[in-house]
Amino acid sequence: MRIAALLLLTTFPVFASAAELFVEAESFQNHGGWKLDTQFIQEMGSPYLLAHGIGTPVDDATTEVTVAEAGTYHVFVRTKDWVARWNAPGTPGRFQLAIDGKKLATEFGTQGAEWAWQSGGTVDLPAGKTELRLIDQTGFDGRCDAIYLTTDKSNSPPNESKVLSKWRREQLGIADEPVERIGYDLVVVGGGYSGLGAAISGARMGCKVALIQDRGVLGGNGSSEVRVWAMGNIRRGRYPRIGEIIEEISDNATKSPGKKEEFVDELKEQVVRAEENIDLFLNHRAFAVETEGDRIVSVDAFDTRNGAVSRFKGMLFADCTGHAWIGAWAGADLEMTPEGRMGMSNMWAWDEQAEPAEFPETPWALPLKMADFPYPRDHHGQWFWESGFDKDPLGDAEGIRDWNLRAVYGAFNAMKNGDGAEKHRTAFLTWVAYIGGPRESRRLIGDVLLNEEDIVSKRDFPDGTVPSTWSIDLHYPKKQYAAKFPDNPFISIAVHGKGVDRMYGYPIPYRCFYSRNISNLFMAGRCASVTHEALGTVRVMKTCGMMGEVVGKAAAICVERQCLPRGVYTDYLDQLTEMLELPGKAYRKQVGGETIIPDDALPLAGPAGLFEGLDPAKMKGLVIDDEKAKVSGPWVKGQGLKGYVAYGYRYASPGSGATMTFEAAAPEAGSYDIRVLYGPHPNRGTTVPVSLEAGGETISRRVDMRGEPAAESKFATFADVSLEKGAKVRVTISSDGAGGNVHADAIQLIAK
């Protein structure tokens, strides 16, 4: 047996000895306006409080503690000057500490580029209750990890990570054995879209699931903390039921970053808590893995608010952390692209008011002018505010985030106090993400390592499941804005490759969703088994969420058949297929039990997804859509004119040689009205050639498709014909001599 663990500075409640007092900032009873930041535990060992006021000092954080012995106490605060690593002028992270109502003279957050204990002098304290208060001075991201008071001047706290972990445990009298949480079929670590998909899917198939998330909200990059709208088409491809669970919890943001309420954090949690088979552990950070041979036995996690440690034992585990933490600690095979990686984004938003608004000068931010960054149009800084390319995404994530903050504040300073001041007198910041949105780090290796060639060549894997519809989208520093900061550019450009079917999608193999050498480990999301290039298409959130749906169902098969994830592929792939054809809301009370399909199950979508336009089956008569027509020449797909049939329409330039032929068979004998459906527009042709072959005769006419754009498609009654049952009807639309663009949407046969 071995234990692989993150070196942890564990957080726990206040504990006092005769002449010492140790307080974790995150354990403060009232955080005030300070934010609990849990992103960088892997670097500095602990959650901490962050004064993220975007230029306005935040409300005080307070707590009450008990001093066991009166005396003169030496004060130490673990903090850092977060811009010192760049030798930037000024100290934006300043804050003060008040003890028993008295402010210490020291301003903290003013020393050291690394996390360290800053001395705050001495304070005389009586025995009994006293108050600690963190007082932010700037609103610019001051940070406090812990406070230590001692009557022994020589008893300064150690500042080496390895020692701190042991020292804190000794200070707090922590028991070596954590609380055991047992009986889980599936332990899911990570509460983003992939973790949500895995937990809900597994629970609905009868698995007992633990869902562990290190933040107070679910959704990851798709939460209100990061505000990346969920992309990737769902409910299509080989198994169009995949994605129905994700539709239940997905945002409908109108832009990225959108408004807080658009990301429906509460809905995500509500859906999870409605599942009787899920135990949800918000604010729990996984930090250690115990293994036996090639299997994970347990995962340790601590409560980021009070430090209580839990040990989660289960049959199966799913790494949905994005950074492959669980797999790495377990010794799973993995890879990380050595250079050319994508970075992390911290998006932001601003607005304007009636009166002038002030913004403090930011000499410590990046020294930017308006020409140094793309103007944040529509009042928001988008996804391309991204840095950290080829920086350490695991060991220096805090540095990447902080560089992004310096870029945002530097840009807004240019707008308010620099060469953009005249045009932005009434502008003010409304939101800046302090939680970073990462794109790429480690990826675990499964039995299939999906690559770009597999996707572009449409390699047909027998276990192809999740439809990936996003293009191969890789991010690079944008040269236009990289010259001033070549070591760490902060504006990116997306380079989109070709070869991904955006309607049907490329089916990602199931074998990408489990580890090739840790036998009971699944993975979903950004740490799935794909190459750097393939990550460009599978990494968007709805696609990651669908991976989780497949993992959850596969886990149920493992429990029922007492097999491991690989065994689902080798022995029970047919059963997985059957499960993937169930509605997302289908459920079983226990593994292997009766499948119940509730009345509110979503309708089955088609291979290209749900119709965004009119449903042909619900229209009068027989409708043949352009997707079923024989197409020749340079037609372009469109969806801009609403009211179209099914998934869209097509248009072509006049004289381009484009033709489209619709074929139908009369369902019954009788007289039929044959119609051609199109979307009128001023650029349409007035003499579009249309021919009809039916009942042994051919009719050719010219159709005027011009007119103002309409809210719905129009139709031209082309001909009335008498047909025998089963008689063939062929309608051809062409571009020769059309007199403008040709539009083709559908044909319709209506019995008279």
Side-chain angles (χ1 to χ4, degrees), residues 91 94-96 104-111 118 137:
T91 48
R94 302 188 307 278
F95 64 96
Q96 289 182 284
L104 302 185
T106 303
E107 281 194 321
F108 297 97
T110 59
Q111 298 177 8
Q118 183 176 347
Q137 300 293 295

Side-chain angles (χ1 to χ4, degrees), residues 124-305:
D124 292 326
L125 294 176
K129 302 287 186 182
T130 193
E131 182 195 64
L132 302 182
R133 182 177 293 267
L134 296 178
I135 306 168
D136 177 31
Q137 300 293 295
T138 70
F140 283 122
D141 303 290
R143 51 204 73 180
C144 179
D145 169 25
I147 300 165
Y148 177 62
L149 292 84
T150 177
T151 55
D152 183 354
K153 182 179 181 180
S154 65
N155 194 25
S156 58
N159 196 45
E160 183 181 349
S161 294
K162 293 181 181 180
V163 177
L164 279 171
S165 177
K166 179 182 178 182
W167 177 79
R168 290 197 187 197
R169 289 178 176 271
E170 291 175 348
Q171 281 288 308
L172 300 168
I174 300 304
D176 291 335
E177 293 301 317
V179 174
E180 286 200 351
R181 302 185 184 274
I182 62 176
Y184 292 109
D185 299 313
L186 177 65
V187 177
V188 179
V189 185
Y193 270 62
S194 58
L196 286 168
I200 297 170
S201 175
R204 289 182 181 174
M205 290 295 98
C207 292
K208 183 62 177 176
V209 178
L211 175 57
I212 303 169
Q213 164 71 335
D214 64 357
R215 303 291 308 158
V217 300
L218 297 165
N221 284 351
S223 71
S224 65
E225 294 183 319
V226 185
R227 302 190 191 179
V228 180
W229 54 9
M231 292 286 104
N233 292 325
I234 59 176
R235 302 178 62 187
R236 64 194 59 237
R238 191 175 292 177
Y239 303 105
R241 289 291 187 185
I242 304 177
E244 291 185 0
I245 290 175
I246 297 308
E247 183 162 309
E248 293 181 49
I249 54 93
S250 179
D251 69 76
N252 292 295
T254 54
K255 60 184 179 182
S256 181
K259 299 177 181 178
K260 178 179 180 178
E261 59 272 16
E262 291 180 310
F263 290 88
V264 293
D265 295 341
E266 297 80 6
L267 174 64
K268 293 178 175 66
E269 184 174 342
Q270 180 183 1
V271 171
V272 169
R273 292 197 184 278
E275 297 298 329
E276 294 182 1
N277 283 332
I278 298 179
D279 289 341
L280 175 62
F281 296 88
L282 294 175
N283 294 299
H284 277 68
R285 174 73 184 199
F287 67 94
V289 168
E290 181 181 356
T291 61
E292 287 184 352
D294 68 347
R295 297 174 65 131
I296 296 175
V297 174
S298 64
V299 168
D300 285 0
F302 72 97
D303 190 318
T304 59
R305 301 158 299 182

